[in-house]
Amino acid sequence: MQEKYMNLAIKEAQKAFNRNEVPVGCVIVQNNKVIAKGYNNREKKHNILGHAEVNVITKASKKLKTWKLDDCEIYVTLKPCSMCESIIKQSRIKNVYYLLDKTTDKKEYYKTKFSQVKMVNNYAQLLANFFQNKR
């Protein structure tokens, strides 16, 4: 069964390749049924979030009318990047299957620096109140 879904992901990767996008394809399956499929489209959409995994999770969430995809599995041609990995975890997908690891010699382009601002504010209480009210 895994081979069937991975072959669909490869077909999606071919679509990306044909559109001059990084050839990554992805499929989400629930109860042995394909819920969503897609590919990278960052260049076409001019959108940093245009990763195959993000596109497919968005489609599956709309179709299932929930962001909680805990009874779904995802098949992707390339091991998800850290952003997609985090989104997959946040969407609660139960299993991730991928074909290839990323190359270890890939040049890193990240130059963004993160700094916590130290100041007196009531944001921590606001956040605590929100989650306390949800429980």
Side-chain angles (χ1 to χ4, degrees):
M1 201 60 87
Q2 286 182 342
E3 195 171 312
K4 171 186 170 182
Y5 301 131
M6 199 56 80
N7 281 329
L8 288 173
I10 292 169
K11 286 181 182 179
E12 293 299 309
Q14 183 65 53
K15 291 177 186 177
F17 178 86
N18 293 344
R19 290 163 177 79
N20 202 30
E21 299 277 354
V22 176
V24 177
C26 191
V27 175
I28 290 184
V29 176
Q30 179 188 53
N31 300 324
N32 295 317
K33 181 181 176 193
V34 173
I35 300 301
K37 57 187 179 174
Y39 53 87
N40 278 359
N41 64 2
R42 277 174 32 159
E43 300 301 326
K44 179 182 182 201
K45 300 283 184 172
H46 308 291
N47 185 344
I48 191 68
L49 300 176
H51 291 218
E53 299 92 331
V54 175
N55 293 336
V56 172
I57 288 169
T58 301
K59 286 180 186 179
S61 295
K62 284 181 182 176
K63 184 171 186 175
L64 298 175
K65 295 180 175 53
T66 181
W67 59 268
K68 298 172 189 168
L69 305 177
D70 49 3
D71 57 348
C72 295
E73 299 180 321
I74 193 166
Y75 293 81
V76 60
T77 55
L78 189 63
K79 184 177 181 181
C81 69
S82 58
M83 176 187 73
C84 290
E85 184 179 318
S86 181
I87 291 168
I88 290 166
K89 288 176 183 177
Q90 289 287 318
S91 68
R92 302 179 181 173
I93 289 174
K94 101 177 133 174
N95 291 312
V96 178
Y97 303 101
Y98 63 91
L99 279 176
L100 294 177
D101 276 317
K102 293 183 199 138
T103 59
T104 56
D105 62 343
K106 184 178 176 182
K107 183 178 178 183
E108 292 293 332
Y109 293 100
Y110 306 123
K111 296 180 181 172
T112 306
K113 294 178 184 171
F114 290 82
S115 302
Q116 184 176 14
V117 176
K118 304 285 186 185
M119 60 183 270
V120 176
N121 65 65
N122 61 355
Y123 175 69
Q125 189 61 51
L126 175 71
L127 192 61
N129 289 346
F130 176 81
F131 286 108
Q132 185 176 21
N133 292 334
K134 293 291 182 185
R135 293 187 181 112

